[in-house]
């Protein structure tokens, strides 16, 4: 991975000041707008940003998370999408690729529908269609409802497997980058997702879409990824070993999938825009430094 230092900037969009980071790319890849998970600060995506060094990566802290002051009033997903669009306007980006993880995956869906002309490709990781999702294990969801895992890294490491269904590969580095959200910021994020669903507009999404789902996800079970992919025209579902934080624990396997999807030429895409492409299941080794994963038979 290349060591890249992001440029940080506070950007005002409406009544909110949003701490924003841009990792400047060293190539000509299309910029990637990243929507983070609930309570997650910008620094947590540093390994991904360093791996995708050929393109600009844009990320921001939600209100009350990381370095962004908490919002005065609750907000809805359509308002959060407008915040992201305001950031792109201020930074001078028009069309981008978009990626969202977990809660951020829901916001990425909203953004892709609301600002369709600005989205070229869409990646949805460990996420669901919102209200109609199949819930995860109660023990994991109970711990997810409180931001304690961000406030106490030892607590997060102790319950890592229960929370995320992952091995602890990369967990210590993840814990060191944590920055606790405010209670109000975390609560407003939870509130934003209540009652929201993307089901009515998923069939109308236009970007080529990659859905990534963890085989052992304790928070957003695999069936939710299948449901998303079945409703989004021309989407592809990749099932990866690991749980909710497979971007951390299985980075060596997942990042090549992301890079290949973003770099594919449209004429060489393995599916038609009008048809669901089905799914692929990858079985890679858990040992660091091993070869590329193989599609399962």
């Amino acid at each position: 991975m290349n060591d890249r230092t992001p440029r940080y900037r506070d950007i005002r969009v409406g009544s909110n000041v949003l701490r924003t980071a841009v990792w400047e790319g060293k190539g000509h890849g299309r910029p990637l707008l990243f929507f983070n998970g609930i309570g997650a600060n910008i620094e947590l995506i540093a390994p991904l940003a360093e791996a995708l060094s050929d393109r600009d990566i844009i990320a921001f802290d939600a209100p009350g998370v990381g370095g962004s002051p908490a919002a005065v009033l609750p907000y809805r997903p359509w308002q959060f999408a407008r915040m992201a669009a305001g950031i792109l306007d201020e930074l001078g980006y028009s069309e981008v690729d978009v990626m969202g993880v977990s809660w951020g995956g829901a916001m990425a869906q909203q953004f892709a529908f609301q600002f369709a002309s600005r989205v070229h490709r869409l990646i949805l990781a460990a996420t669901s269609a919102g209200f109609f999702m199949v819930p995860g294990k109660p023990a994991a969801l109970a711990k997810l409802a409180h931001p304690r895992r961000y406030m106490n890294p030892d607590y997060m490491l102790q319950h890592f497997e229960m929370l995320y269904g992952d091995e602890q590969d990369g967990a210590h580095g993840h814990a060191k980058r944590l920055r606790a959200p405010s209670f109000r910021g975390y609560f407003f994020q939870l509130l934003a997702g209540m009652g929201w669903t993307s089901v009515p507009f998923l069939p109308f999404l236009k970007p080529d879409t990659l859905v990534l789902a963890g085989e052992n996800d304790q928070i957003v079970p695999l069936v939710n990824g299948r449901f998303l992919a079945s409703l989004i025209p021309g989407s592809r579902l990749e099932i990866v070993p690991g749980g909710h934080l497979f971007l951390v624990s299985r980075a060596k396997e997942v990042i090549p999938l992301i890079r290949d999807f973003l770099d594919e030429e449209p004429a060489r895409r393995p599916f038609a825009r009008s048809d669901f492409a089905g799914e692929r299941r990858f079985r890679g080794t858990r040992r660091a430094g091993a070869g590329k994963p193989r599609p399962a038979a």
Side-chain angles (χ1 to χ4, degrees):
M1 291 186 179
N2 299 308
D3 183 16
R4 292 199 289 165
T5 301
R7 293 186 294 108
Y8 289 97
R9 179 179 170 187
D10 290 338
I11 296 177
R12 177 175 288 278
V13 181
S15 61
N16 293 292
V17 176
L18 303 165
R19 177 174 175 256
T20 304
V22 177
W23 284 262
E24 293 184 344
K26 299 178 180 180
H28 302 288
R30 183 176 285 98
L32 177 68
L33 172 64
F34 189 90
F35 289 88
N36 224 331
I38 189 167
N41 51 290
I42 289 172
E43 287 76 12
L44 295 179
I45 76 160
L48 177 68
E50 291 167 4
L52 301 177
S53 59
D54 62 330
R55 66 190 67 238
D56 288 3
I57 309 295
I58 309 117
F60 64 100
D61 286 333
V65 174
S68 294
V72 176
L73 298 172
Y75 52 85
R76 299 299 297 160
W78 68 267
Q79 293 170 299
F80 194 78
R82 286 181 61 181
M83 295 180 206
I87 286 173
L88 294 182
D89 291 341
E90 182 66 24
L91 294 174
Y93 294 103
S94 54
E95 187 183 64
V96 293
D97 292 325
V98 172
M99 179 174 180
V101 175
S102 191
W103 182 90
M107 301 303 111
Q109 293 170 60
Q110 179 69 43
F111 184 89
F113 174 69
Q114 195 169 330
F115 297 97
S117 64
R118 306 189 73 161
V119 182
H120 181 68
R121 284 183 179 156
L122 176 64
I123 301 175
L124 304 174
T127 193
S128 74
F131 183 77
F132 291 102
M133 76 172 287
V134 175
K137 291 187 176 181
L141 294 176
K143 288 180 169 58
L144 184 72
H146 192 283
R148 183 179 175 185
R149 67 192 188 282
Y150 290 113
M151 300 173 178
N152 185 348
D154 290 336
Y155 177 86
M156 189 273 286
L157 290 171
Q158 180 183 355
H159 298 282
F160 193 84
E161 186 171 353
M162 177 185 291
L163 275 166
Y164 302 118
D166 283 295
E167 296 178 330
Q168 294 210 9
D169 292 350
H172 288 276
H174 183 77
K176 289 179 181 178
R177 291 187 290 271
L178 291 175
R179 183 171 175 178
S182 69
F183 279 102
R184 184 168 64 177
Y186 197 83
F187 175 70
F188 279 1
Q189 282 190 287
L190 287 173
L191 200 60
M194 290 185 179
W196 174 90
T197 182
S198 57
V199 167
F201 64 73
L202 285 178
F204 303 101
L205 288 185
K206 297 180 179 180
D208 288 335
T209 303
L210 173 65
V211 179
L212 296 168
E215 190 173 35
N216 191 35
D217 195 329
Q218 306 293 297
I219 294 171
V220 183
L222 170 59
V223 64
N224 293 285
R226 289 189 168 123
F227 183 60
L228 283 176
S230 70
L231 290 179
I232 301 173
S235 61
R236 180 201 308 173
L237 172 63
E238 300 278 6
I239 302 172
V240 298
H244 196 64
L245 279 192
F246 55 76
L247 282 176
V248 174
S249 66
R250 311 298 297 225
K252 291 183 183 296
E253 296 159 343
V254 176
I255 288 176
L257 297 178
I258 294 170
R259 186 186 293 115
D260 289 348
F261 173 74
L262 294 176
D263 291 343
E264 280 177 355
E265 294 294 332
R268 299 171 62 186
R269 295 198 55 74
F271 51 81
R273 280 295 303 145
S274 60
D275 300 316
F276 168 48
E279 64 184 52
R280 294 200 301 175
R281 185 184 301 266
F282 278 76
R283 299 290 188 184
T285 177
R286 285 180 168 82
R287 297 191 302 275
K292 291 184 178 180
R294 300 180 288 107

